[in-house]
Amino acid sequence: MEQSLDKYSKMPVSKAVIQNALPAVAAMLMVLIYNLADTFFIGQTHDAYQVAAVSLATPVFLVFMSIGTIFGVGGTSVISRAFGEGKKEYAKKVCSFCMWSCIAIGVVLTVCFLLFMEPLLRLIGASADTWEYTKIYLTIVSFSGTFALISSCFSNILRAEGQATKAMNGQLIGNLLNMLLDAVLIMVFHWDIVGCALATLFGEIAGAAYYLYYYLTGKSSLSVNIKDFTLKDRVAGSVFAIGIPAALGSLLMSASQIIMNSQMSSYGDMAVAGIGVAMKIVMITGMVSMGIGQGVQPLLGYCVGAKTWDRFKKYMKFAFCFATLLGVSLTILCYLFTNQIVGVFLTDANAFDYAVKFARILLSTGPVFGIFYVITNALQAMGAAMPSLIINISRQGLIYIPVLFLLNAMLGVTGLVWAQPVVDVISLVVGIGMYLNVSGKMMKQMA
């Protein structure tokens, strides 16, 4: 292994966090750009129905990435703690388990998506005007299932062995190819929604190929060799204990977006197009905050394994400050330039007005995203399965979905959008309480 988490334990705290977090932030920004690229290039067709179709399809496609989170986040937590304890062979077994599980589940999901496409389209609220566009997009991207799972998984796991830059590179390669193909297939060949879907498919294949090449060429101390695959030694249980809570948050986010789009469709396709673009804008702050949390998680996990609690506290303090500073700065920038950003994606006046209004509502809790994601990743790093589960399902489903219906009934379309900021505040308070409780108990027990 060219680098390991050992080196970070000897660095100044600020340097260690920044050096490990910035590649993770860059990787999340590439995910953001990847999401924006599809909407941007489809927006150049000046067909708001195609924009609405991509908005409807995106949360469905994100199911693949959410499943990959089970093995990416769960594997990262287990592997980083194993390195801290000096259990390198166990780390190999975990890595191989994650790899082959992604392949098997990816194939199954692809088949399920294709078999149940018609009911799925009805579920997500596709209208007569968006039905065919959404069906074409989802049919093509369904074939990216296995590749999307591998990319989502190993963009996390590489950070567990201190390879934050390589983790970023895989996403960079896939996303750049996606954007290039978007430009060529949509702007040059005018394949519109078909070109957009094909660009996504080949981008996911490229990202997965990069990660596989890294492991198969023997550059890692981990392994994807099927000979190292095992269900023994609590490998699966350890990964699932942390990965499933993390994935449930992502899965519920996809489910809640599907419900949101379905509810929003009753206000017209332009409202659907508007919320799709508004959510992309808020992702600018959200993805950066998420990247900081993911970047600091392996450092925290290593501290837990090595029982270096003083350094753990210093990492947390700096991560809180760093995430808050970036969150506040990006929220202000997005708020000031909302009109200009929306104008890049939408030309229809009605859809434009919806997007600007919705984005400014969603941005209201942008400054606290960083604190939430650092706390969530700290709980995962500590192996706190149940608290991690509760905080994730609360923000994305347990609290959010009921609030979504309640505020829609009370305030209409505006209430639908305000549901997320309201739940953000509630989840943050719950998360802080759980972190203080879990960290306090663990530090006493493992002192």
Side-chain angles (χ1 to χ4, degrees), residues 289-332:
S289 301
M290 196 180 298
I292 294 172
Q294 290 181 355
V296 79
Q297 182 188 334
L299 303 178
L300 297 172
Y302 186 89
C303 289
V304 172
K307 300 180 182 179
T308 52
W309 292 110
D310 286 342
R311 192 163 181 85
F312 181 96
K313 293 176 184 177
K314 291 176 182 178
Y315 280 144
M316 287 296 294
K317 182 178 179 180
F318 183 81
F320 276 144
C321 295
F322 187 42
T324 302
L325 177 63
L326 285 179
V328 170
S329 301
L330 287 172
T331 299
I332 292 172

Side-chain angles (χ1 to χ4, degrees), residues 19-187:
Q19 189 167 320
N20 207 54
L22 285 185
V25 170
M28 296 310 295
L29 285 175
M30 286 309 304
V31 173
L32 172 64
I33 293 170
Y34 155 77
N35 277 278
L36 293 176
D38 283 351
T39 306
F40 170 76
F41 285 108
I42 283 297
Q44 303 315 298
T45 65
H46 304 298
D47 184 347
Y49 291 112
Q50 291 193 56
V51 174
V54 172
S55 298
L56 289 169
T58 296
V60 180
F61 173 67
L62 289 177
V63 168
F64 289 123
M65 295 183 181
S66 300
I67 298 296
T69 300
I70 293 177
F71 304 100
V73 173
T76 297
S77 177
V78 177
I79 290 169
S80 61
R81 279 181 280 138
F83 279 143
E85 296 168 2
K87 299 178 179 178
K88 294 184 179 180
E89 289 303 312
Y90 186 74
K92 278 187 176 182
K93 294 177 182 179
V94 173
C95 185
S96 181
F97 168 77
C98 292
M99 169 68 184
W100 292 97
S101 297
C102 283
I103 292 175
I105 294 174
V107 171
V108 172
L109 282 176
T110 294
V111 172
C112 289
F113 271 46
L114 295 174
L115 288 177
F116 300 103
M117 183 63 68
E118 299 288 323
L120 182 59
L121 291 171
R122 287 192 290 271
L123 175 66
I124 64 178
S127 68
D129 292 310
T130 59
W131 183 280
E132 195 61 30
Y133 290 135
T134 311
K135 182 178 180 179
I136 290 170
Y137 185 88
L138 284 178
T139 298
I140 294 173
V141 299
S142 292
F143 289 98
S144 69
T146 296
F147 308 106
L149 260 72
I150 291 173
S151 293
S152 177
C153 174
F154 286 95
S155 64
N156 283 286
I157 285 181
L158 261 74
R159 286 194 288 272
E161 54 176 328
Q163 297 288 2
T165 300
K166 285 186 171 63
M168 175 189 71
N169 288 344
Q171 291 180 296
L172 186 66
I173 290 169
N175 293 340
L176 286 176
L177 179 61
N178 181 16
M179 288 185 286
L180 176 63
L181 290 176
D182 268 334
V184 173
L185 298 180
I186 297 174
M187 304 300 291

